[in-house]
């Protein structure tokens, strides 16, 4: 059984990225489990809070879920041509203390996907993530690309995926990532 932790980088209740993650859960091949989480409850990073109180409970819980996974799928929106602040903030918390980086991120398989209302998907956000992932030492899967454009046309008003071409692309993407993990992409 391969367990992938999918993290939506949006807090919005009607998030297209959270909807994309939910749709991916239904498309996982037999033997693959995709667990979906959001970033609710993670406060803004503050070194004084970390020094005084340690890591917040929400950060510790997410950190343990990453450690328990075989791979991580970051489902990222794109805000102002880059990484959403709430998502980068969560990764900053997860990288604390620095001595934990190898345990949480080091050589762990990561993949990127995303959805946006615009015509270019999340190409700039996903590109901006590459330097962060490189710094953390993850094993980035570059075998597939999933950038959903014009999300208002792809999802219905309830957040259900209604575009069959995107459904196929999403299933192929998720299961390609899982196969890469199973085939030694983990490197751990």
């Amino acid at each position: 059984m391969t367990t992938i932790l999918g993290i939506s980088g949006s807090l919005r209740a009607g998030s297209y990225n959270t909807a994309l993650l939910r749709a991916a859960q239904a498309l996982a091949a037999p033997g693959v489990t995709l667990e979906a989480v959001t970033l609710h409850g993670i406060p803004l990073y503050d070194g004084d809070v970390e020094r005084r109180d340690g890591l917040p409970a929400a950060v510790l819980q997410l950190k343990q879920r990453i450690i328990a996974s075989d791979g991580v799928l970051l489902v990222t929106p794109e805000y102002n041509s880059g990484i959403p602040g709430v998502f980068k903030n969560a990764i900053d918390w997860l990288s604390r203390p620095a001595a934990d980086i190898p345990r949480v991120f080091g050589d762990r398989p990561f993949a990127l996907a995303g959805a946006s209302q615009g015509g270019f998907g999340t190409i700039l956000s996903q590109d901006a993530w590459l330097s962060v992932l490189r710094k953390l030492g993850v094993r980035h899967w570059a075998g597939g690309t999933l950038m959903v454009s014009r999300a208002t046309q792809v999802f219905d008003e309830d957040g259900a995926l209604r575009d069959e071409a995107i459904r196929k692309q999403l299933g192929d993407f998720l299961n390609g990532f899982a196969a890469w993990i199973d085939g030694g992409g983990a490197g751990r």
Side-chain angles (χ1 to χ4, degrees):
M1 179 65 79
T2 300
T3 301
I4 298 171
L5 181 66
I7 305 172
S8 172
S10 177
L11 298 177
R12 193 171 65 85
S15 164
Y16 294 117
N17 287 280
T18 302
L20 186 64
L21 188 51
R22 281 193 312 266
Q25 285 183 292
L27 298 172
V32 177
T33 300
L34 175 61
E35 299 175 355
V37 297
T38 65
L39 302 173
H40 289 91
I42 296 180
L44 291 173
Y45 177 76
D46 182 333
D48 293 334
V49 170
E50 179 190 6
R51 190 172 30 264
R52 183 185 64 237
D53 304 328
L55 299 180
V59 173
L60 290 170
Q61 291 168 0
L62 183 54
K63 188 179 276 200
Q64 288 308 312
R65 292 192 74 178
I66 291 172
I67 292 167
S69 75
D70 297 307
V72 178
L73 172 60
L74 302 181
V75 186
T76 185
E78 181 171 299
Y79 297 161
N80 297 315
S81 300
I83 299 171
V86 68
F87 214 169
K88 179 64 168 63
N89 174 71
I91 296 299
D92 291 343
W93 266 117
L94 291 165
S95 70
R96 305 296 303 155
D100 261 3
I101 291 173
R103 184 170 69 98
V104 177
F105 297 101
D107 212 29
R108 185 171 311 281
F110 270 66
L112 294 163
S116 75
Q117 296 180 47
F120 296 106
T122 56
I123 191 168
L124 296 174
S125 177
Q126 289 191 38
D127 183 61
W129 272 112
L130 297 178
S131 62
V132 175
L133 297 178
R134 207 170 14 260
K135 175 68 176 173
L136 295 171
V138 308
R139 186 175 294 250
H140 174 244
W141 181 60
T145 303
L146 186 62
M147 296 178 232
V148 177
S149 303
R150 296 179 179 79
T152 55
Q153 299 169 17
V154 173
F155 296 95
D156 68 19
E157 59 280 347
D158 296 320
L161 183 59
R162 62 180 172 196
D163 185 300
E164 290 306 315
I166 298 294
R167 184 181 319 280
K168 180 178 180 345
Q169 185 182 4
L170 176 58
D172 290 348
F173 176 87
L174 176 65
N175 295 311
F177 180 45
W180 181 73
I181 293 169
D182 288 342
R188 294 180 300 160

